[in-house]
Amino acid sequence: MATDTLKVEATALKDKGNKAFKEHDWPTAIDFYTKAIEKVGTDPAFYSNRAQANIKLEAYGYAIADATKALELDPANVKAYWRRAIANTAILNSKDAMRDFKIVVKKEPNNKDAKLKLAECEKLVKRIQFLKAIEVGDPPSAFEGLDIASIAVPEDYDGVRLGDKMTQEFIDDMITRFKDGKQLHKKYVYQIVKAVRDIVYDEPTMVEMEVAQKTKLTVCGDTHGQYFDLLEIFRLNGYPSEDHAYLFNGDFVDRGSWSTEIALLLYSYKWLRPNYFFLNRGNHETDDMNRVYGFEGECKAKYSERVFKIFSESFSALPLATLIGKKYLTLHGGLFSDDKTSLDDIRKLNRHQQRQPGQAGLMMEMLWTDPQQAPGRGPSKRGVGLQFGPDVTKRFCENNGLEAVIRSHEVRMEGYEVEHNGKCITVFSAPKYCDATENKGAYINIGPELKLEYHKFDAVPHPDIKPMAYAQNSLMQMM
């Protein structure tokens, strides 16, 4: 039984958490809510508030657990049902989300927003069922029947023309077009995506590269459709060249509302300099995430459904990891459920047989897992994949002769974080993520000596288009 003193102290901690939440400092808010729970573990509001902060950090598994605990303490807690529904929607557990939205509507029959979310959730469930019903084992290529050469570009097209090869002139013009809110002609989109699909398809599942003398490599994390922040990286750090290679470690698209612009710019650099520009697949370069988090909708709004389909095919061809100088394994998510997994297992993985990562297996773990402070392995805070501790990272690096693992996949308030005794490095390159988190962005420069140099940067202004503007329902737009 909590004493009155403990209750007062816990409430003060919750208030500090609420203040941090209002300032968009989600990790600090979670820390205060956790301390409040440690003093008084019977107040459902503490768990419900922490659930909302976990949603903001995309720790949806933790949010579901917190909302469930709040409901155990108070079965009538509407906020907890709502937050659990939102978290389940985020990890595509649409049926569970629908069940909770129904409860909210029943308890608050005049809640128009809840009715809207329930209707949208029901549509989402039906769409998922429909897509599964028409799914075929080996679908034809999205490029089948697409005669790109026969597509004419009008005489009045005001951009630089693209021939059979990518040029720096075309890229420079593209950068300006996108800044001005213009699009490429669809013929050029088809050309770019097909060229890069063909290039990356032939690359190994784990690309192995060295940093040559008098050159450097920059590793960037998630950019998530934040086009103007991507340009800020290039402004601060230099544009890609044969002396300055780049590696983008997944999650180029979704959430931000310039995902097609980022994908096309990165692809154009890959086409121009395939041996000096590298792309790893992220968990958002997948169909199920793109359908919910905005990229599919953006492709349809700016171009066509076919553009989404060809992007989807190209995403499934992307490598899953890059080994830098035999010292740094770079992959989007993290490490594995089995200590025996090795670099050779990654090399042998045939990513072309399994286009989408699914709910289990090596590809899913490479795209979805996260580090944890505690040793061993634990359930995923996201509700997908797992978490791995410093001992897991240490063994993996020792067994494979690595200095460290570089990964992305998670917001870091300073743009990057070095943990697991220096063996696990997270880099995240979308500052002020979704216009809602007061985080910096970061990138890592690596020279021939393979020393890591961390650089932080702030978000820059962008046109007044909100994140998730192309998400197909407001279930996602509110997250």
Side-chain angles (χ1 to χ4, degrees), residues 2-238:
T3 65
D4 289 343
T5 301
L6 284 175
K7 289 179 180 178
V8 169
E9 291 173 351
T11 300
L13 288 165
K14 181 198 75 170
D15 292 343
K16 288 181 179 179
N18 291 347
K19 182 174 183 293
F21 188 93
K22 288 177 182 176
E23 293 169 352
H24 296 183
D25 186 351
W26 323 124
T28 299
I30 287 171
D31 186 48
F32 280 124
Y33 295 143
T34 301
K35 288 176 179 175
I37 288 167
E38 288 168 355
K39 289 185 179 293
V40 178
T42 55
D43 190 325
F46 298 170
Y47 292 97
S48 181
N49 286 11
R50 192 169 69 176
Q52 183 66 4
N54 274 315
I55 287 171
K56 293 295 186 180
L57 277 179
E58 300 182 14
Y60 301 119
Y62 284 179
I64 291 165
D66 277 340
T68 300
K69 181 64 178 179
L71 290 167
E72 288 174 6
L73 294 168
D74 176 15
N77 191 318
V78 175
K79 282 185 178 179
Y81 282 114
W82 178 269
R83 288 166 183 171
R84 190 168 69 178
I86 294 298
N88 269 312
T89 301
I91 57 174
L92 312 183
N93 289 340
S94 304
K95 288 184 179 179
D96 291 341
M98 186 169 65
R99 186 164 53 246
D100 281 342
F101 279 130
K102 283 181 178 178
I103 293 172
V104 174
V105 170
K106 185 176 181 180
K107 288 180 176 294
E108 296 183 350
N110 295 322
N111 187 330
K112 293 181 180 179
D113 199 27
K115 289 180 179 179
L116 174 64
K117 300 298 183 291
L118 174 59
E120 289 174 342
C121 197
E122 288 171 337
K123 286 181 187 175
L124 191 58
V125 169
K126 289 178 181 177
R127 185 172 187 228
I128 291 169
Q129 290 172 339
F130 172 74
L131 290 170
K132 284 183 178 178
I134 64 171
E135 197 174 73
V136 294
D138 189 16
S141 169
F143 292 96
E144 191 172 293
L146 180 60
D147 185 2
I148 299 174
S150 70
I151 299 173
V153 179
E155 290 293 327
D156 61 354
Y157 180 73
D158 62 349
V160 170
R161 304 280 164 151
L162 179 63
D164 295 333
K165 294 181 179 180
M166 180 55 63
T167 66
Q168 188 63 55
E169 181 189 16
F170 185 88
I171 290 176
D172 293 342
D173 179 69
M174 178 198 303
I175 289 170
T176 302
R177 290 185 70 79
F178 289 164
K179 282 197 292 187
D180 293 342
K182 297 179 180 180
Q183 306 302 328
L184 296 181
H185 190 272
K186 64 180 179 180
K187 175 175 183 171
Y188 299 151
V189 175
Y190 293 147
Q191 278 185 271
I192 292 165
V193 179
K194 185 177 188 306
V196 173
R197 191 282 308 267
D198 293 346
I199 291 168
V200 298
Y201 190 95
D202 291 335
E203 291 182 328
T205 296
M206 183 177 74
V207 173
E208 302 184 45
M209 62 163 297
E210 302 289 337
V211 183
Q213 293 299 316
K214 298 182 180 180
T215 70
K216 69 177 176 181
L217 168 70
T218 297
V219 179
C220 297
D222 305 36
T223 49
H224 272 305
Q226 296 185 197
Y227 176 72
F228 294 86
D229 295 316
L230 170 63
L231 296 188
E232 179 70 355
I233 293 174
F234 292 150
R235 186 188 73 81
L236 293 169
N237 192 52

Side-chain angles (χ1 to χ4, degrees), residues 234 332 430 449:
F234 292 150
H332 182 72
E449 299 80 19

Side-chain angles (χ1 to χ4, degrees), residues 222-226 250-256 258-264 266 284-286 290 293-295 298 311 315:
D222 305 36
T223 49
H224 272 305
Q226 296 185 197
D251 281 15
F252 328 123
V253 302
D254 281 339
R255 294 199 177 273
W258 291 271
S259 291
T260 56
E261 286 81 358
I262 282 191
L264 288 167
L266 297 185
H284 276 267
E285 280 74 54
T286 56
N290 294 160
Y293 284 94
F295 185 61
E298 184 179 336
F311 263 122
F315 289 164

Side-chain angles (χ1 to χ4, degrees), residues 322-336:
T322 303
L323 182 63
I324 302 169
K326 300 182 178 62
K327 277 195 170 186
Y328 301 104
L329 175 66
T330 308
L331 72 174
H332 182 72
L335 297 181
F336 312 101

